[in-house]
Amino acid sequence: MHKKLIATLAMVLAGSTAALADASDGKVKIGILNDQSGVYADFGGKSSYEAALMAVEDFGGKVLGVPVEVVTADHQNKPDIASNIARQWYDTEQVDSIMELTTSSVALAVQAISKEKKKIDIVTGAATTELTGKQCSPYGFHWAYDTHSLAVGTGGALVKQGGDSWFFLTADYAFGYSLEENTGNYVKENGGTVVGAVRHPLATTDFSSFLLQAQSSGAKVIGLANAGLDTSNAIKQAAEFGIVQGGQRLAALLFTLAEVHGLGLDAAQGLTLTEGFYWNRDEESAKFGKRFMERTGKMPNMVHAGTYSAVLQYLKAIEKAGTDETEAVAKELHALPVDDVFAKNGTVAPNGRMIHDMYLLEVKKPDESKEPWDYFKVLATIPGKEAFIDPAQSGCELVKS
């Protein structure tokens, strides 16, 4: 009898030890790395950290019987700073996965380090298609949106409305180049022309010379291939030059709920934009939005909701794999469907691109808004297969032809 009891206890203890061994260091640790003090602080920022905490809490706070910890840091939009933080997190602080990664140059740098270290990264804040293209990684995932989906959404809508000649005002780094290229290609494929472009440094405060070039180009549409405060400042200064009053249209190619709130409906009304999430889309998203609002004082955009989804899916993959070992978790991230408040029937392609529906939105006029943060009309749902590049055409070596 005693021998059986001892054997049973030994099995229980062995099972407990195995569970702890399957979660490295007795915990699962996620790093949220993004811009928390610069032009993209509202775009993602500390609110993305709160979204990650919400996902952990909703999952139960533990996975495989061990606690889940979330840490965060500000990369200041500098790839060298981000790279140093990523290496420190991986090498000395037992971080298992890094997520969010606003700013494409940062995301590409951290994804390269994650690949080297055999760690999973899930990008929600950066946009370049290179993440799942030529610079793809077996451990890298791109979640919320990318430059191709923005081009198809906003660019496609304006071309169909007669905006068939474009001039680009572009942020001078990887994200801006990718957004300009993707949108320009889409415009030309649909019979339009690109008459020129000018590039500006990140965090520009004076857009005068750039806007004058755009205005003098005679293009029907001025494509703002930038984001965050850069886009907001360009729109404000364009109003001072009377660009829209003169008959040209502004296309805010990456503009989210956070930036509309900062700009105000008076200035933003009528803008067409594309997001992967809108809090007032349905009952489930509204419930999530109100929970998020209670914690942060703002409604979530696609980066915040996408970060929630990415963290939740990562924990689901660990649970399904029975371990937090990178190869096993990456396999489950590719296999598991994504079904949460952010994405319905989402799938992860071999190149790491999470394919889901996007939404073409129009900013409401002030008298159309029924409550605080009620800023958008949903003009159309863009099916995931239309919004994102066919993985076979992405240039990723992981995709079998």
Side-chain angles (χ1 to χ4, degrees), residues 233-244:
N233 287 333
I235 291 170
K236 287 176 185 175
Q237 291 172 40
E240 295 170 11
F241 283 96
I243 285 177
V244 174

Side-chain angles (χ1 to χ4, degrees), residues 9-89:
L9 287 170
M11 289 174 66
V12 170
L13 289 170
S16 299
T17 304
L20 289 171
D22 286 338
S24 58
D25 308 305
K27 63 179 178 294
V28 169
K29 196 169 182 179
I30 299 166
I32 302 298
L33 184 57
N34 62 7
D35 173 19
Q36 300 180 8
S37 57
V39 293
Y40 302 140
D42 288 335
F43 180 73
K46 293 178 181 178
S47 296
S48 288
Y49 172 63
E50 285 296 328
L53 292 177
M54 286 176 67
V56 171
E57 291 165 14
D58 288 352
F59 194 79
K62 293 184 177 182
V63 63
L64 304 181
V66 302
V68 180
E69 182 181 348
V70 183
V71 294
T72 189
D74 182 357
H75 61 48
Q76 301 173 49
N77 294 311
K78 296 178 180 177
D80 57 338
I81 290 176
S83 296
N84 288 337
I85 293 170
R87 290 188 183 280
Q88 181 179 333
W89 276 358

Side-chain angles (χ1 to χ4, degrees), residues 132-149:
T132 52
K134 292 179 181 178
Q135 298 190 52
C136 67
S137 163
Y139 317 119
F141 299 85
H142 201 179
W143 218 251
Y145 72 105
D146 62 23
T147 51
H148 186 270
S149 64

